[in-house]
Structure formats: C-alpha cells, structure tokens
Amino acid sequence: IVLKILPNLGLGDRIPSHQELERMEKEEAGDRPKWDNKTQYMLTCVGFCVGLGNVWRFPYLCQSHGGGAFMIPFLILLVLEGIPLLHLEFAIGQRLRSGSVGVWTAINPYLTGVGIASLLVSFLVGMYYNTIIAWVMWYFFNSFQNPLPWSQCPVNANLTDLVSECTRSSPVDYFWYRDTLNTSTSIGDSGGLQWWMVLCLLCAWLLLYVCCLRGIATTGKAVYVTSTLPYVVLTIFLIRGLTLKGSLDGIKFLFTPDLNELMNPSTWLDAGAQVFYSFSLAFGGLISFSSYNSVHNNCEQDAVIISIINGFTSVYSATVIYSIIGFRATERFDDCLEGNILALLNAFNLAEGSIKEGNYAESLQNLNGTFPETIQSLDLKTCDLQTFLSQGVEGTGLAFIVFTEAITKMPVSPLWSILFFIMLFCLGLSTMFGSIEGTVVPLQDLNIFPKRWPKEAITGIVCLVSFVIALIFAQSSGNYWLALFDSFAGSIPLLVIAFCEMIAVVYIYGIDRFNKDIEFMIGHKPNLFWQVTWRFVSPLIVLVIFVFYFVTKVSSNVTYIAWNPSSEDFPTLEVLEYPAWIYVIIFILAGVPSLVVPGTAIFKLIRRCCSNKNVYGAEVDTVSAKVQMFTTKMS
Amino acid sequence: MLVWILFLLCQVGAPALAQDLCQRDAPNGYKVRISLKTALGEDAYEWNQSEMFFFQATMAFAMRRHFQMETYNVDNIILCVQTSRVSFWFVVTSPDNTTMLIPKADVEKAVRMSRHRINNAFLLSDRTLEFLGIYPTLAAPVNPDTPPWLIVFGVVIGAVCVGIIALLISSLLQKRRKEKGMTEDGQDEEDMQVKGVENGINLDGTYNRGFTDDDRFTKL
C-alpha cells in the first residue's frame, strides 16, 4: 500500500537540481564550510552519537532486562530503527545542503516548524547536558589530591566525631549530595546559587565556546581528541578491571541471559528508546554535519559504519563498567563478611583466624545453636553478592556514586579518577558539539541575527544565554531541575520530530525523488531494505514508542526522588510529588517544541491567507543554502 | 613463727587479693583487645607471657609518664581474664597502697598521653590494639590555604581564556587582512588562500580539491 504523495508545489524551485549540485561541486565549493577530510566528519558523527548514555544507561538496561538476552531486541531495533533513520538524516542533509530549518523549509515551507522544534530541543538539551559536564569537571578538579575527598567522611566542627549525615549514608553519597550539589530537600526550595557550581558551569561553557568558536573549523580539530580518547580510557579500564578481584563476576552478571525477559514488552520498548536516543536523531545536528560533505559522499556506508560503532561502543563500555562494578560488589561483600567475622570473634573471644570465609556459615550456625541471644544482639548483616551486584544504578548515580566508590578501592585512586572523568568529559563534549550545531545553524537560517554578524558572535550569544538560563541547575535544587529537563525536554519532542521527519521525506518530499537523489549521490538506488524501513517499519516503531511514552507519562503520577537527611528512610531517597506549578514547566519543555510543528504551519497559513503573498517563492533566504535559485541576487 | 605464717598468708593472699581487684567488668579496669594477625599478617609474633610482661612494663611506663612519679612498677599492673582472641582485662594499683586502685579516668589520661608509644612498642595501631572505652582522638583535618580543586580550575580556565582570545584575535586579523586585500587589489581575491572558512563571510576562496577528487561514486 503506497500512500499518494501529498501535493507539494514549487519543490523544484526551492531545492538545487542535480545539475546545479554538480556545478556547485566544481565551482562554488568555497562558500560553505567543508570538512578537512573524511576522518573529521566520521569522528564528529561518532562523537555526537556516542555519549554519556552509552556508558551509564545501556549497561543498566542490559543488566535489568535479562543481560545477554537484551542484545537481541537491541540489535534488531538498531537495524530496523536506528540505521534507517540515520541514513535518512545523512542523505537529506547531503542532498539539500543546509541545516535542519533550511532542509525542512526547502521541502515545504509549512514544515519549518520541524526545524524550529529541532532548534528548541537542541537548545534545551544542550543546557542541561552541559551542566552534567560541569559536574564531571568538578569531580575532575577534585581528583588531584590523595586521598580523594570522597573516600572518607569529614570531621565535624568540634572535632569530636565524623559528620552524621555522612556516617549514616556513605562518604561518596555525602560528597555528591552535600559537597557537590549541596542539595535541598525539594524542588521548590531553591536554596540559592552554589558558587563552586557556578564556576564549574562557567568553565564548561567557556570550554565549549572555545571548541565551537568557528563552527566545524574548530570542532573538526577538537574531535581528534574528544572522540578517540574515550576508547583509549575504556581499554585502560578494561585491562585494569580484569586484573581486579571479582571483575569476572560482574561481567558474568551482566551478560547472563534471561530469555524470559524477551516476553516483557517493556524490554522491547526500552531497547527501542535506547537505540533512538543513543543515535542523537532529530536534533538537527546530524543533518547539518552531513550537509558539509561533498555531494557524492557515500552516506549509506557512513550510516552503517556509525551505527555499528555506536552499538559496539555500548557493549564495550557495558563490559568495562560491569567489570568495575563486579570488583566493587566483591569488595563490599568481603568487607561485610569481615565485619561479621570480627563481631563474632570479639563477642566470643575466639582466636583470630578461627573463623574464615570458608567456614563462616558453619561456625555461625554452631554459635547460633549454643548462644542465640548473643548472636541476636550482635545484629549481623546479611552479605549477598547478588544484592551488591544489582546495586549497579544508572545515570549520575552510576558515575558519581557507584563508580567513584569503586575507584577509591583501587590502588593509585587519583590516577583512575582523573582518567575516568576525562573520559566522561570527552564523551559529553563531543555530544555538545552536535547540540550547538543544531542550535546555531537554524538560528542563522531563520535570520534571527543580522547576516553580517560573524559566527563567533552568534555562537557566543548562544553560549551566554544558555549559561545564564543553566544557572537554575547551579542552585541547591538544581539536581531536581535537571532530572525534570532530562525526563521531558529530551524525550517526547524528539519522537515527534523523528516521526515528522520520516513522513516529510517519504510522503511530502516523495520517496521516488529521494531514491533518485540517492542514486545520483552514491551511484545506486537504495535497496528493498531501505524502502521497507523508511516507508513503514521505522515510522511505526517510532509511533509505538511515542504512544507508550505519552500514555505512561500522562497516566502516572509524576514524582521525583529527593535527598532528605531528616526523612525516615534516610539514606534511601525520598519519593515526592511535583508541586502544581511544575506542570507549566513540563508543558513548556515537552509541549512547546512538539506544538511548534503544527503551530508554525498554521501561522504561515494564516499569514498567507491574510496577505495573499506567495509563500512558496521568497521564503527560503537561508545563509547556508547559497544557490542560484532565483534570477535576482539575494540581498 | 607467727610472722612466718603471716608471710605465707600474704604470699597466698596477695595474688588472691589481686584477683579480686582485677576481674571481668571491673569498675576501674579496662579491657584490651589485640589483633596481631590483622596488623602484621605473616609477620605476627606469638602472644605469650613475655609479651604480657612487656605490656605491664609499658603500662607502668605510661603511668610514670603521666603522674611524673617514679614509683610505678610492673607489679602495679594486674592482668586477668586472658582469652585466645587475644584479649584481657587490667587494673592499675597505687604504688603506695597495693589494695587501692587508680581510678578509671586517670588511667585513661595516662593511656591517651602515651598511646602512640604504647602502639609502637607492639608494632600495632589504634585499631589493632584497642582499649575498649578509650576512643582514639580523630586526626585534625588538613585544611590547605587554597583548596586543590581551585588550583586546577584556575589552570584550566586560564588556558581556555587564552585560547578564546587567541582565536578571536586571529579571526579579526584575517578579516582585516582580507578587507585590506580587497580594497587594494580586487582582482587578486581568487588567489588568496583563506583559512577557516566561515558562513557567508568569505565569498571567494580557492576551490578545496582535497575531498572531491575521490571517486565520484564511492563503492559500498
């Protein structure tokens, strides 16, 4: 069943024809930024796709959805959803040679909203993502001391005892929630700006600015380091991890397959969502990067290679992370057992070495038989390795709590800490390059700023405005705001944009025209696999994930978890409900970018009806698509 | 004869009296717990009567040091309730009157004063030579003048600012050089090599052949 292509007048006038593209290739190739070489382009795309999510989201999903069995839905959806969408974005960017706003406006002026939505999402996500980088930098700065500040509890003010908040939880928890975030007890309690966080945030944005200053001329050089260093560090950690005790337990725990999980629909949905977000689709950055390529670059090959690299990186980093988590779990288990054994030895005055790990269970049983009340009063802890292994959390908890604790147990901890946070920094920064690209280029295309303003100024303004707004995250309640942004700004709008992108290319631009374009660019028509996935499979998968997410978010009570030292279950995080005014913020984050898509179309329709102007001709006045479309020169 | 009987009684009675003074949970006594294997592992020495004697001597030394009285002796330290853990109780008697015990608080002060010396005598630490009830004093936190993280932060921010200024100045210089070149000789624009092509600013530049000379249709 092939839907009739929707009517699309004047398409030929808005986009360069194949002959024009050939001519541009030979003659005017100097006026648009170009990649210095193919390596820069590949490294930038890999850096954009490979981010913090590969390190701290995928391993958790893998472990909680049946280990090795999770690979099956992940790989299937990678092939059916990730690769087609990636190829689509690369091809359309390379063909129409402009950023997201330029591309969608060229396809149909009523679709400008898709580009604007991409712009808004890139902007919002970039803000909170760079705050995570600021946190990483804070930890990095604090790694240059021995012992590490999160390895022991600080002494309280009158030097009588250790700080109670720390002894009740743990030194790593205390350092994260108190020394780093100085977190308040609820999102409504702002608590003022934390000066050290403001400094780190400033440093993060300045560093981003220096790398993105001249667009791909500067980021193209930076990616040689930021995209390759994480792999080096991961390998170092793998070698170090495998020599530690208990690492193989961790890896076994990660990959032990539980095929029953495949029956669970949430496994497939989580896999689909992970593939989608992991590829950084719908941000507009990939379209932009691909538009700087030569017209005959093989985008099909690129899409497949980058997808494979992304999938491989997820699995590789999961292995490394879980080897270290296995080590940590074993250390905790050994400490727990040792504590119990010491308690027994002390209570019964037995000789040292009489109870060891091997005969612990037996000895405990004997003693319990003869002196049950004493055993009761000792309050021995249950030590179970599996419990410790499944404490591998995701997100910031994994990086700043679990992993940092594991690092303190390794010899020469500051070195490992520095390496780890450099790796996280590089992963985050290379993703930010794509985010900035997805924000700055559409702003230029929309002519928000005067054309004679240099790129440095526009990038500077974007960084400055983002920094000022991101100061919300430097408050005491900043952590809760970030979780809010992460749940809403970076989830639903992206799915909407991706769905619209596919419909726009396949049905509005026309799949036949698209096929011919690809044949012109790379020399052969896309085969049956691409046809089926672009037309039906990928849009369907994205629609299903969107419906599921929307329904879950709308029907459930939106809650968040807070750190409250005076709560009953401390140190377990408290579950709180959002106050009523947060729903306005949620609407701004998730609703506005999504509604901009139809909103812009309606706005243009009204404007056209009122002024009776020819919308299809004069609108495309973009900086990035400098082609001779009209007989009159552009001003 | 009577004196001889009294003497015999004393010889028998003294230890018995001493035993009464030192007992488990004695009000003026302390329990000591020693973890040799934890502290020294393979190099752990055996805990025997000679080591106990050494402990008595060390405690006597600690008492002498605290009270500044040279009269404390090994006999003033009475040990009892030894277990294989190794743990035991001890009490301290006054050198003037062997039936009177030194109060707990004074013993504690003496131990705290010489704790470091006592630990080193046995090659142990606060954790492995425990006086139950006498908590080790916490080490005072080391507060450097500038927190170390600020130093690293300063270095990074300094480098970044220098980078930004350098790049901005070089962009400005390029633009000015190009403008100067355009006003001087309009025909020579096409020959100029321009670094760092920016959107819309450099209308002319040399054609970048570096990439497009590849095969037109790249093989899959």
Side-chain angles (χ1 to χ4, degrees), chain B residues 194-213:
Chain B
V194 184
K195 274 193 278 201
V197 180
E198 286 126 22
N199 264 334
I201 291 185
N202 299 315
L203 295 172
D204 302 285
T206 49
Y207 169 52
N208 185 352
R209 297 201 93 96
F211 195 38
T212 54
D213 268 351

Side-chain angles (χ1 to χ4, degrees), chain A residues 61-381:
Chain A
L61 285 177
C62 202
Q63 172 262 113
S64 63
H65 283 298
F70 184 73
M71 296 297 165
I72 299 176
F74 181 71
L75 288 172
I76 290 178
L77 287 168
L78 188 97
V79 166
L80 292 179
E81 180 197 355
I83 304 186
L85 271 167
L86 201 60
H87 187 196
L88 188 117
E89 291 209 351
F90 281 163
I92 203 73
Q94 194 171 299
R95 167 70 179 87
L96 297 180
R97 316 205 67 70
S98 91
S100 62
V101 162
V103 158
W104 305 117
T105 313
I107 291 182
N108 191 313
Y110 289 117
L111 286 178
T112 314
V114 180
I116 299 180
S118 284
L119 160 70
L120 288 174
V121 171
S122 288
F123 178 67
L124 290 172
V125 171
M127 264 199 291
Y128 81 78
Y129 209 82
N130 216 26
T131 310
I132 300 179
I133 295 183
W135 289 342
V136 168
M137 293 188 85
W138 162 260
Y139 270 79
F140 172 73
F141 295 149
N142 274 292
S143 304
F144 285 87
Q145 44 187 300
N146 198 4
L148 293 168
W150 53 83
S151 59
Q152 58 212 21
C153 278
V155 179
N156 66 10
N158 30 357
L159 298 188
T160 48
D161 196 8
L162 303 172
V163 175
S164 85
E165 188 182 349
C166 184
T167 44
R168 282 188 295 156
S169 54
S170 76
V172 274
D173 280 310
Y174 180 78
F175 186 77
W176 170 236
Y177 287 108
R178 191 54 53 211
D179 284 338
T180 307
L181 302 172
N182 196 14
T183 187
S184 61
T185 51
S186 74
I187 197 169
D189 179 15
S190 112
L193 290 176
Q194 312 302 313
W195 64 270
W196 59 93
M197 264 304 119
V198 175
L199 286 181
C200 289
L201 203 60
L202 180 70
C203 191
W205 280 105
L206 281 179
L207 232 158
L208 183 65
Y209 181 54
V210 83
C211 292
C212 292
L213 200 42
R214 292 205 204 128
I216 63 169
T218 39
T219 64
K221 311 283 185 303
V223 288
Y224 283 116
V225 174
T226 61
S227 295
T228 51
L229 195 57
Y231 290 97
V232 173
V233 175
L234 276 175
T235 312
I236 296 176
F237 263 98
L238 183 67
I239 299 174
R240 168 77 270 206
L242 288 175
T243 57
L244 293 168
K245 179 185 173 202
S247 54
L248 291 172
D249 288 323
I251 298 180
K252 256 186 277 180
F253 181 74
L254 172 71
F255 286 124
T256 312
D258 176 12
L259 289 163
N260 292 325
E261 280 287 335
L262 292 180
M263 301 296 140
N264 186 359
S266 86
T267 306
W268 290 86
L269 285 158
D270 278 339
Q274 174 61 16
V275 166
F276 179 76
Y277 295 127
S278 169
F279 276 83
S280 304
L281 298 159
F283 280 89
L286 289 170
I287 298 180
S288 214
F289 287 145
S290 161
S291 71
Y292 303 132
N293 275 327
S294 131
V295 163
H296 294 295
N297 174 50
N298 191 341
C299 51
E300 183 182 29
Q301 192 183 36
D302 294 343
V304 174
I305 292 178
I306 290 178
S307 308
I308 293 176
I309 293 179
N310 198 4
F312 162 75
T313 311
S314 294
V315 176
Y316 189 51
S317 60
T319 314
V320 173
I321 296 285
Y322 265 83
S323 74
I324 305 289
I325 286 186
F327 158 70
R328 170 189 173 266
T330 310
E331 281 278 312
R332 277 207 152 188
F333 175 73
D334 284 345
D335 284 342
C336 176
L337 208 58
E338 224 176 84
N340 283 356
I341 291 177
L342 196 67
L344 284 177
L345 290 178
N346 288 348
F348 294 102
N349 286 315
L350 304 164
E352 273 180 295
S354 56
I355 302 184
K356 288 210 182 78
E357 192 180 321
N359 58 3
Y360 170 74
E362 193 189 314
S363 318
L364 181 62
Q365 222 177 358
N366 286 342
L367 291 167
N368 206 3
T370 36
F371 302 101
E373 317 85 37
T374 331
I375 299 281
Q376 282 275 51
S377 67
L378 284 177
D379 201 16
L380 296 172
K381 292 183 260 188

